[in-house]
Amino acid sequence: MAMTGVLRPGFIQLRVLDMATSIEYYQNRLGLNMVSTETDGRVYLKAYDEFDRHSVILRQAPEAGIDLMAFKVATDADLDHFRKRIEDWGLTVEEVAAGEQPGVGRRISFVLPSGHRIELYADIAMSENHPETHNPHMWRDEPRGMGVIRFDHALLYGPDIDKVCDFFVKALDFKLAEHVTLPDGLLAIWLTCSNKAHDIAFVKHENPGKLHHAAFLLEDWNQVGHAADIMVRHDISIDIGPTRHGITRGQTIYFFDPSGNRNEVFAGGYTYYPDNPTRSWDETQLGKGIFYYERALNERFLTVVT
Amino acid sequence: MTTAPTRYQIQVEGYQPFSCAPDQRVLVAMEQAFPIPLPGKARPLLVGCRRGGCGFCRVQVTSGQYRTDKMSVAHVTEEALAQGYALACCLYPDSDLTLRSAVEVKTRSGPKPAQTVET
């Protein structure tokens, strides 16, 4: 498979209520590395195994939630190519100047029918602390805390996800890996631009622009258990898990950052190829689809968002 | 000379009271007092993110003294804060408290937290 066009999730900008406690959490508990604090107050971080300058941006604000999620595309020409296709689909596209985030080139920015701001960019500086590339060790420095490998995907909640699905498939060449359809229509979609089971997902929700979770990759099931031990030791609020998803097959635990933004750390999940058929779930097996071992949703999954 | 009590009584209107230490968050004390849902001992408050972001444990304090952590203004505006609204996950008692559930976000189990048995 040749990956072209939209390559992968690049970064996510989250709103936090208190920066000091958030840095302590994202740096020492999740295990991200600090990159920089800029004059506008935004804090930039990255996971140890990511090459690019940053993947998580924290912005202190009076309200928790997500500002935006950005995908990296292969070439600068892709930005012009996708701009036309996005506008042809019917969304308004804004240009974000190079340097709005340190080390990041020009971005194109648009708001989905679900109320979420999504951006594309082609250029970002390589991290000064990137993984070794010649006779590389596992890591330069021992991972801290949960030791997350990378920012992996997000699940977003909002209205009109049927339109969102159409947009990602038709304008950005994503594939629909899985969906949940209830008698009254589409409930949830898992979209991929890569070999992963999902790069972004959406669940139908009446309020636009909501964050369900930002997810980070771990190496294996043992690391999910180790992450759970850290959560209890440091009084991190756990939502559910460790458990497994029927959908995507990821081994997972959900928990909340100090501002109530849900995070996930997970391992596994199947390999997706673009010729694979879409997997589907209905209301009779939805519990198993979301939480495979419990075979039932918890109250919070469909309702607690920031 | 009297010694200040180490735990205060928290009364959510319509439910059994529970106790909470001054340095403990009211929602956490509630979870400890109602570890499992039992008939006749319904949990007085819904549990969401436990960190001030989601609004599931929104209450109005109708009597008593208290402190709060930072809470998302999406759920407690400055005006609401002045009127005694708070998120129980960010609420610390400085006296016995009387609370009334004031959940505004839509929950799957409906507006009555007493009907929720999910932890």
Side-chain angles (χ1 to χ4, degrees):
Chain A
M1 168 188 182
M3 279 177 56
T4 58
V6 182
L7 298 180
R8 57 184 167 80
F11 55 79
I12 189 167
Q13 182 167 309
L14 300 172
R15 296 187 297 269
V16 298
L17 301 177
D18 182 80
M19 190 57 82
T21 56
S22 299
I23 290 173
E24 166 70 10
Y25 166 88
Y26 279 97
Q27 180 175 236
N28 295 326
R29 305 298 164 241
L30 221 51
L32 299 177
N33 291 331
M34 281 287 286
V35 178
S36 68
T37 301
E38 299 300 319
T39 52
D40 66 359
R42 279 184 291 178
V43 168
Y44 294 77
L45 304 107
K46 73 177 279 287
Y48 75 85
D49 209 32
E50 293 174 313
F51 285 97
D52 289 348
R53 183 185 183 278
H54 58 257
S55 60
V56 173
I57 305 104
L58 305 178
R59 181 173 74 84
Q60 184 163 308
E63 178 177 349
I66 179 173
D67 279 338
L68 62 93
M69 177 170 168
F71 290 86
K72 191 176 189 182
V73 300
T75 68
D76 188 75
D78 285 329
L79 295 177
D80 299 323
H81 167 79
F82 283 116
R83 175 171 193 142
K84 179 169 189 326
R85 288 177 60 188
I86 293 163
E87 288 173 339
D88 287 348
W89 192 88
L91 296 184
T92 302
V93 177
E94 301 165 59
E95 186 99 9
V96 180
E100 193 278 333
Q101 288 188 6
V104 180
R106 71 182 181 109
R107 289 132 62 186
I108 59 171
S109 180
F110 44 93
V111 177
L112 301 174
S114 58
H116 300 93
R117 183 168 291 281
I118 301 291
E119 297 185 345
L120 305 180
Y121 66 98
D123 295 320
I124 182 169
M126 188 180 277
S127 168
E128 294 172 5
N129 187 27
H130 64 75
E132 294 172 317
T133 55
H134 183 63
N135 300 328
H137 284 291
M138 292 298 113
W139 21 257
R140 288 179 186 270
D141 304 304
E142 295 92 318
R144 285 181 311 283
M146 301 176 210
V148 297
I149 292 170
R150 66 165 182 250
F151 165 59
D152 187 88
H153 67 267
L155 171 55
L156 307 176
Y157 274 39
D160 292 327
I161 64 164
D162 48 345
K163 290 181 193 163
V164 170
C165 186
D166 188 71
F167 170 79
F168 271 96
V169 170
K170 287 186 180 158
L172 299 182
D173 296 328
F174 279 57
K175 297 282 186 174
L176 180 64
E178 302 203 41
H179 66 86
V180 175
T181 301
L182 303 185
D184 63 349
L186 195 60
L187 174 73
I189 51 176
W190 284 260
L191 293 154
T192 178
C193 61
S194 68
N195 262 160
K196 290 153 56 190
H198 59 331
D199 288 300
I200 192 167
F202 293 85
V203 169
K204 184 173 75 173
H205 189 78
E206 63 179 358
N207 296 322
K210 294 297 180 184
L211 172 70
H212 186 273
H213 70 264
F216 299 87
L217 181 68
L218 295 178
E219 189 143 329
D220 58 27
W221 183 230
N222 283 341
Q223 290 304 306
V224 177
H226 179 60
D229 291 341
I230 289 171
M231 289 173 209
V232 177
R233 173 63 185 84
H234 292 283
D235 193 27
I236 292 169
S237 173
I238 293 177
D239 184 0
I240 191 167
T243 182
R244 187 166 196 168
H245 294 306
I247 297 166
T248 75
R249 299 189 192 154
Q251 297 158 322
T252 178
I253 180 167
Y254 282 127
F255 50 105
F256 296 96
D257 84 356
S259 307
N261 296 311
R262 193 188 276 94
N263 287 170
E264 176 187 29
V265 290
F266 78 103
Y270 57 77
T271 304
Y272 180 84
Y273 290 97
D275 61 328
N276 288 168
T278 297
R279 295 158 162 93
S280 65
W281 297 77
D282 63 35
E283 71 282 4
T284 66
Q285 302 296 320
L286 176 58
K288 205 157 65 182
I290 303 296
F291 299 127
Y292 191 65
Y293 300 146
E294 291 79 3
R295 286 167 272 184
L297 288 175
N298 66 353
E299 162 76 16
R300 285 188 284 262
F301 189 85
L302 288 175
T303 46
V304 171
V305 292
T306 54
Chain B
M1 180 175 160
T2 57
T3 306
T6 54
R7 296 187 76 83
Y8 296 113
Q9 282 287 108
I10 311 298
Q11 174 69 60
V12 182
E13 290 176 14
Y15 295 90
Q16 291 186 14
F18 55 94
S19 71
C20 182
D23 61 350
Q24 191 176 29
R25 299 177 291 138
V26 165
L27 188 71
V28 172
M30 188 284 295
E31 288 191 272
Q32 291 178 356
F34 300 85
I36 55 170
L38 294 172
K41 207 182 177 207
R43 284 185 150 196
L45 301 166
L46 288 173
V47 178
C49 73
R50 303 187 187 87
R51 286 294 182 273
C54 79
F56 252 47
C57 61
R58 191 173 187 270
V59 295
Q60 185 177 21
V61 183
T62 52
S63 74
Q65 305 297 312
Y66 58 92
R67 288 157 286 130
T68 57
D69 285 334
K70 286 183 182 175
M71 301 170 283
S72 182
V73 294
H75 305 296
V76 182
T77 62
E78 278 191 34
E79 187 184 5
L81 188 64
Q83 293 168 351
Y85 290 94
L87 303 180
C89 68
C90 299
L91 181 65
Y92 302 85
D94 284 326
S95 72
D96 291 347
L97 298 181
T98 306
L99 314 176
R100 151 183 106 64
S101 178
V103 182
E104 286 186 333
V105 293
K106 195 170 182 181
T107 62
R108 198 162 55 97
S109 55
K112 281 197 179 299
Q115 295 172 356
T116 302
V117 294
E118 185 62 49
T119 60

